[in-house]
Amino acid sequence: MNSFQLHNPTKLVFGKGTVDQLGELVKPYGTRILFVYGGGSIKRSGLYDQVLAQLNGIGATVFELPGIEPNPRLTTVNKGIDICRRERVEFILAVGGGSVIDAAKAIAAGVPYDGDVWDFCVKKAVIQEALPLGTVLTLAATGSEMNGNAVISDWDRKLKRGMGGKPIYPKFSILDPELTFTVPRDQTVNGIVDMMSHVFEQYFSKTTDTPLQERFAESILQTIIENGEIALEDGSNYAARANLMLCGTYALNGTLPIGVETDWATHAIEHEVSAIYDIAHGAGLAIIFPNWMKYVYKERVDRFVQYAVRVWNIDPAGKSDEEVALAGIEATRAYFTRIGAPATLGQLGIGDEHLDRMAEEAVRYGPLGSFKKLEKDDVKAILELSL
Ligand code: NZQ
Ligand code: ZN
């Protein structure tokens, strides 16, 4: 096990009716609020009115930034930065899924920065300070509600990049599983795949002697697998939605990578695909992850055997290690297919026209991953397997 530090400053407020605490949670941070949300789901569900009632209840002056796109755009982030500067906003409230939260984080980092906020995405600058922000999560997927990452798309240059830093951890996040009852089937599927993928990135590791971290990861995966299917059958099943929500948060809140070398190659590859084709992040991951697994499993067959046996209950009797490892990978693909996730880029209408560019951009800052270091040709090979 490697040495590590762990400090997650986000306060989680979890459970039914917790939006009622929003006003009190916002109050310490000021009264000039930027309220950031997406394309209208919160208006349809009634959450928008609830949020405004809470903010009015503390006498807040509210500025709104609606219309955050899935795969949020740099141009929209810049709009938010302008509003914050012009209106002397003190606190940013994100109400939505990962895209809304990520946009809010990028705005928060951009306001005090004397330069282009994109600098944080291309490693030209480090986030030193940010406006405080809080979130009300409506979709279980990214873990953005309890981490310091944000992923932004520059649509003009067809680039999608992440930024990260302590100053953009949310001060609080409200997680009411009932708010996810209205998430449509395809977005529920995308969320399931995304959270499983976050676990994979931290579980398929070369680090040894980490039994607790491995069992944390395996527990999260099994909980997602079981509850994902229930939530897809009955979107209003509170227990299933609650368990999925908690898994989404814990898959990417800093619990799993303690003392462990993590990978993140598949995420980097997927971001190149979404940057060009604007596909849902979870859909891209469903296509690419099993192919990454096939490409790299020989680096550490024992970990893939453990995954197959413990997560998918594959019976190893009479099989070689390699057969067990491959059966675990097949079980992953079969689960994704069973819940309705795509298996090939072709299913999304994507061909081989930009493979070179995607592979080249993916390794712009050096080889990807740590489980197996991937160069441009490796990335291209994984994309070819995904066609
Ligand atoms: O925009 P609205 O109208 O709100 O609709 C959204 C959107 O169309 C809808 N939705 C959200 N909550 C809903 C709902 N519809 C009905 N009922 C609800 N309760 O779902 C659609 C997708 O929302 P989005 O926020 O884009 O989804 P997700 O949470 O999966 O976020 C994806 C983004 O997060 C990034 C991805 O790359 C992508 O840009 N990621 C962020 C990470 C992070 N910050 O740590 C890590 C991830 O790996 C990921 O890269
Ligand atoms: Zn992800």
Side-chain angles (χ1 to χ4, degrees):
M1 193 193 310
N2 301 335
S3 307
F4 68 90
Q5 286 190 2
L6 172 61
H7 174 220
N8 189 317
T10 301
K11 179 192 281 189
L12 265 197
V13 181
F14 192 101
K16 256 182 218 182
T18 40
V19 175
D20 291 350
Q21 298 173 43
L22 179 61
E24 287 307 312
L25 286 162
V26 171
K27 216 170 169 180
Y29 299 102
T31 53
R32 298 179 73 79
I33 315 292
L34 181 70
F35 174 14
V36 183
Y37 55 95
S41 72
I42 68 163
K43 289 202 168 158
R44 290 191 295 278
S45 68
L47 177 58
Y48 172 85
D49 295 328
Q50 265 179 289
V51 168
L52 276 189
Q54 284 289 315
L55 296 178
N56 290 336
I58 57 165
T61 306
V62 181
F63 306 92
E64 295 190 24
L65 180 63
I68 304 296
E69 312 83 357
N71 298 328
R73 306 288 195 261
L74 180 61
T75 44
T76 314
V77 167
N78 278 323
K79 253 194 233 168
I81 293 172
D82 287 344
I83 299 173
C84 289
R85 288 183 180 154
R86 193 174 61 237
E87 305 295 350
R88 291 170 289 109
V89 163
E90 296 166 299
F91 185 78
I92 303 177
L93 178 66
V95 182
S99 294
V100 170
I101 297 174
D102 285 5
K105 287 175 172 175
I107 295 166
V111 173
Y113 178 61
D114 185 17
D116 184 350
V117 67
W118 186 250
D119 290 352
F120 298 127
C121 296
V122 289
K123 305 187 193 301
K124 257 171 83 180
V126 172
I127 304 171
Q128 304 284 2
E129 52 178 332
L131 278 188
L133 72 130
T135 89
V136 178
L137 181 68
T138 64
L139 198 167
T142 64
S144 188
E145 64 276 10
M146 200 177 180
N147 69 39
N149 306 324
V151 185
I152 302 299
S153 293
D154 178 341
W155 194 239
D156 298 330
R157 281 175 281 190
K158 297 273 184 284
L159 295 173
K160 183 176 184 183
R161 295 276 188 272
M163 64 173 80
K166 272 276 170 273
I168 57 172
Y169 273 74
K171 298 294 177 198
F172 64 80
S173 281
I174 292 179
L175 273 63
D176 178 347
E178 286 189 335
L179 297 178
T180 66
F181 284 5
T182 53
V183 174
R185 189 184 168 89
D186 59 342
Q187 294 298 349
T188 303
V189 170
N190 292 338
I192 290 167
V193 175
D194 191 24
M195 54 180 96
M196 286 178 71
S197 301
H198 295 159
V199 180
F200 296 153
E201 302 278 19
Q202 304 168 91
Y203 176 76
F204 293 109
S205 169
K206 285 269 173 79
T207 314
T208 54
D209 300 320
T210 52
L212 181 61
Q213 293 89 324
E214 291 155 40
R215 289 195 168 93
F216 277 156
E218 290 153 359
S219 307
I220 293 175
L221 286 172
Q222 287 191 306
T223 309
I224 299 168
I225 292 162
E226 290 162 14
N227 287 277
E229 295 207 286
I230 300 170
L232 285 170
E233 234 167 67
D234 172 11
S236 303
N237 183 310
Y238 183 84
R241 289 291 197 184
N243 287 320
L244 272 187
M245 208 169 200
L246 197 56
C247 285
T249 303
Y250 267 76
L252 199 53
N253 71 352
T255 303
L256 297 182
I258 52 172
V260 170
E261 194 178 32
T262 58
D263 193 78
W264 296 105
T266 310
H267 265 70
I269 300 172
E270 194 292 318
H271 286 167
E272 294 310 329
V273 181
S274 331
I276 295 184
Y277 297 101
D278 202 20
I279 60 170
H281 174 61
L285 290 170
I287 294 165
I288 300 166
F289 231 118
N291 294 322
W292 174 86
M293 290 177 174
K294 277 189 205 150
Y295 196 79
V296 306
Y297 76 96
K298 287 191 177 144
E299 293 290 309
R300 220 188 138 179
V301 175
D302 65 316
R303 179 53 56 86
F304 276 90
V305 168
Q306 179 178 321
Y307 168 67
V309 171
R310 290 197 190 166
V311 176
W312 296 107
N313 303 314
I314 306 280
D315 180 1
K319 298 188 189 78
S320 68
D321 280 357
E322 181 141 357
E323 284 168 343
V324 177
L326 287 170
I329 298 171
E330 284 315 314
T332 313
R333 169 61 74 213
Y335 180 77
F336 287 171
T337 301
R338 192 159 72 244
I339 62 174
T344 64
L345 292 169
Q347 277 172 263
L348 304 184
I350 298 173
D352 62 1
E353 42 310 328
H354 296 301
L355 290 197
D356 256 314
R357 186 213 134 106
M358 291 191 285
E360 192 159 324
E361 281 298 336
V363 298
R364 173 152 301 276
Y365 307 110
L368 295 182
S370 64
F371 192 73
K372 177 180 170 73
K373 285 231 176 295
L374 303 180
E375 304 286 351
K376 182 184 166 189
D377 286 347
D378 300 306
V379 174
K380 199 170 166 196
I382 291 169
L383 285 169
E384 275 164 355
L385 286 173
S386 306
L387 285 171

